[in-house]
Amino acid sequence: MSAPRKLFVKTYGCQMNVYDSERMTEALGGEGYVTTDRAEDADMILLNTCHIREKAAEKVYSELGRMRALKDANPDLKIGVAGCVAQAEGEEIMRRAPMVDLVVGPQSYHRLPAMDRAVRGGAKALDTDFPDDDKFDTLKARTKMKRAPAAFLTVQEGCDKFCAFCVVPYTRGSEVSRPADRVMREARELVDAGVAEITLLGQNVNAYHGHDAGLAGLIWDLSAIDGLKRIRFTTSHPNDMDDALIEAHGTCDKLMPYLHLPVQSGSDRILKAMNRKHTAESYLKLVDRIRAARPDIMLSSDFIVGFPGETEEDFEATLELIRKVEFGQAYSFKYSTRPGTPAAEKPQMPEDVMAERLSRLQALLTQQQRKIQDDMVGRTVGVLFEKPGRIDGQMIGKSDYLHAVYADAPADVLGQVRQVRITVAGTNSLGGELVR
Ligand code: 5AD
Ligand code: SF4
């Protein structure tokens, strides 16, 4: 038998890409590939790319530039570009980076095995279709290998919201939900392979309609799986938070008290220009309803500063909204022009204004996050232990609220949810001791 071929995958961007990278790795596993974490050893390098902001896309081209030397050293090496840059730029990638052999979009990677055979034969392969066949039906069942305790599971893809700044509706296409029975089957496979926590993924996951009772219905069905201890979901749009989902946060024990609910801005004028179809007030009311159902829920959000036309007053309104909500976690970005989106046509803000606003916004968010971390000290919280820490005898896991937590613990806590009393709070993690 010939030696297995080696696959090196590098993933950029969001959690959906992390999930897709796993599925692509499994698909190529059927072609005799095993993974390597050294690009120099690889027979195939796959970059799973992100197009959400300009910098993310540029990173891919600089990485490809660096890979030219590897290709010179190993002429049999094949290089593939997957993900949203592949979808958005297609053939342009091969023009700009001729060392690329294969370009595959997020909706067509079930065709990777055939594409691999084509490139092995010396051809170039490009597939950025939105095919009629569902990739998840064509992909084989998840492999039986033992898995880490926490896994992602994509249940919904694409977006019909068309926020004025965002490329997702163009790169990922319109909203599609996977049928609940297939999701349930995949969830059971994951749990059988040792998974204790599943995060349901979708660009608009709370618009999931693969179950008669929406995402809440799916969550309740999942919660009946023995051995599955925790359920999370991300990312949600405020307008799709329905009553059943809010209620599930109060009543479903396995649904964790953490919600990523991007608001982007606190100014109604900017929200309107962004085509968000909600106001600051309606977001705050929604937060009140969610907190009424689950008072201790940890909220997180995405923010964009310097959207075209944002005045100092608009920006202040965002700071004001942040002060009112108190976010435990947040991701904030300078607006980045994306060709083909409506906002790209508008006059852009000066870079120094965006940079200055971003640093003020992040200072406030960090302050809030730090306070919430500090308030955890003395509390006892569930922690799913995921891996050994860097210090001997220490284990690391995630709290119910998604904090990274470390504690002295025996190795057999791996994969278990244990109660931990928090004793110290750092900037990015909490330390604690096992209770019993
Ligand atoms: N510029 C800056 N940030 C963006 N995001 C999406 N598009 C852009 C853009 N053009 C941010 C939003 C979104 C997150 C995933 O990325 O905040 O919620
Ligand atoms: Fe992009 Fe808006 Fe859709 Fe989120 S809801 S993926 S920001 S278009």
Side-chain angles (χ1 to χ4, degrees):
M1 229 178 75
S2 57
R5 290 199 290 251
K6 294 205 173 107
L7 172 68
F8 174 83
V9 182
K10 182 158 180 181
T11 308
Y12 300 81
C14 65
Q15 293 152 329
M16 302 219 16
N17 268 9
V18 175
Y19 176 84
D20 287 341
S21 289
E22 277 178 23
R23 301 297 307 250
M24 287 192 270
T25 302
E26 290 171 22
L28 286 172
E31 299 301 295
Y33 280 96
V34 295
T35 51
T36 172
D37 48 16
R38 285 168 47 92
E40 311 84 84
D41 295 344
D43 301 289
M44 163 80 85
I45 292 177
L46 208 49
L47 303 183
N48 193 10
T49 62
C50 173
H51 201 243
I52 195 96
R53 284 169 290 273
E54 192 181 358
K55 265 199 191 140
E58 280 310 314
K59 259 195 221 159
V60 176
Y61 285 106
S62 35
E63 184 74 38
L64 284 170
R66 282 194 293 275
M67 288 188 165
R68 198 192 316 255
L70 296 178
K71 190 116 175 173
D72 290 343
N74 173 9
D76 289 335
L77 169 66
K78 302 296 176 193
I79 296 181
V81 178
C84 293
V85 175
Q87 189 62 46
E89 307 212 342
E91 267 173 50
E92 176 63 20
I93 297 176
M94 290 190 192
R95 263 196 296 275
R96 244 182 103 174
M99 77 286 262
V100 171
D101 301 283
L102 178 162
V103 173
V104 64
Q107 297 310 333
S108 31
Y109 64 74
H110 53 302
R111 298 175 177 164
L112 261 179
M115 296 174 80
D116 173 63
R117 273 170 250 143
V119 297
R120 290 283 145 215
K124 299 247 178 190
L126 172 105
D127 193 336
T128 52
D129 287 352
F130 285 98
D132 288 336
D133 51 329
D134 178 355
K135 64 174 180 275
F136 296 115
D137 285 350
T138 314
L139 290 165
K140 291 197 202 62
R142 305 301 304 269
T143 47
K144 291 269 187 304
M145 67 179 201
K146 178 106 176 82
R147 287 179 186 276
F152 295 131
L153 201 178
T154 294
V155 301
Q156 181 275 335
E157 288 185 284
C159 182
D160 297 335
K161 297 280 192 289
F162 291 93
C163 298
F165 49 80
C166 185
V167 285
V168 166
Y170 312 97
T171 53
R172 291 272 176 166
S174 54
E175 272 181 40
V176 181
S177 295
R178 295 175 67 191
D181 58 337
R182 317 259 171 82
V183 174
M184 290 299 292
R185 196 189 313 155
E186 186 169 333
R188 284 192 202 96
E189 284 163 8
L190 292 172
V191 172
D192 288 347
V195 168
E197 171 180 307
I198 291 181
T199 301
L200 304 173
L201 299 181
Q203 263 100 22
N204 251 293
V205 72
N206 57 343
Y208 176 78
H209 55 263
H211 188 291
D212 293 344
L215 186 66
L218 179 66
I219 288 169
W220 281 109
D221 285 2
L222 285 165
S223 72
I225 298 179
D226 270 350
L228 179 60
K229 300 190 180 106
R230 289 171 150 189
I231 303 167
R232 305 181 186 276
F233 60 89
T234 197
T235 291
S236 298
H237 191 286
N239 293 359
D240 291 314
M241 277 313 287
D242 63 20
D243 291 345
L245 194 52
I246 294 174
E247 196 197 317
H249 269 293
T251 50
C252 180
D253 291 346
K254 291 188 183 179
L255 184 58
M256 290 294 105
Y258 184 102
L259 180 64
H260 184 60
L261 196 64
V263 64
Q264 314 294 356
S265 165
S267 150
D268 288 345
R269 218 175 59 81
I270 294 298
L271 287 169
K272 191 160 190 320
M274 286 177 164
N275 192 31
R276 289 289 293 179
K277 301 197 177 77
H278 61 77
T279 61
E281 184 65 25
S282 69
Y283 183 86
L284 292 171
K285 284 209 170 107
L286 177 60
V287 165
D288 285 347
R289 285 168 55 217
I290 296 164
R291 286 202 165 128
R294 180 80 204 217
D296 63 337
I297 199 160
M298 171 92 106
L299 290 173
S300 94
S301 175
D302 296 336
F303 296 94
I304 295 178
V305 300
F307 185 81
E310 186 189 70
T311 61
E312 178 62 24
E313 200 182 350
D314 293 318
F315 175 66
E316 285 291 339
T318 303
L319 297 179
E320 193 50 32
L321 178 137
I322 294 170
R323 284 186 205 105
K324 285 183 181 152
V325 175
E326 301 195 345
F327 292 97
Q329 179 68 264
Y331 305 87
S332 47
F333 315 98
K334 285 186 265 189
Y335 169 74
S336 168
T337 308
R338 306 314 289 128
T341 59
E345 309 297 317
K346 307 234 184 94
Q348 309 296 307
M349 302 280 298
E351 174 63 31
D352 56 339
V353 175
M354 292 205 274
E356 194 271 336
R357 286 186 189 161
L358 186 66
S359 72
R360 270 196 285 159
L361 181 98
Q362 290 184 336
L364 176 60
L365 289 165
T366 309
Q367 191 190 324
Q368 287 194 340
Q369 188 179 333
R370 188 62 218 232
K371 179 176 179 307
I372 291 174
Q373 301 254 113
D374 289 346
D375 287 349
M376 289 301 294
V377 174
R379 284 185 56 185
T380 297
V381 63
V383 173
L384 172 63
F385 284 98
E386 297 182 5
K387 57 183 184 204
R390 259 176 294 160
I391 298 174
D392 230 18
Q394 217 172 55
M395 292 289 166
I396 299 187
K398 293 274 165 55
S399 79
D400 295 346
Y401 308 99
L402 217 50
H403 305 105
V405 179
Y406 58 89
D408 287 342
D412 66 2
V413 298
L414 280 183
Q416 291 182 15
V417 178
R418 298 285 293 265
Q419 295 299 305
V420 174
R421 204 176 67 83
I422 303 302
T423 52
V424 306
T427 314
N428 299 312
S429 62
L430 303 173
E433 50 199 29
L434 282 188
V435 177
R436 272 173 298 122

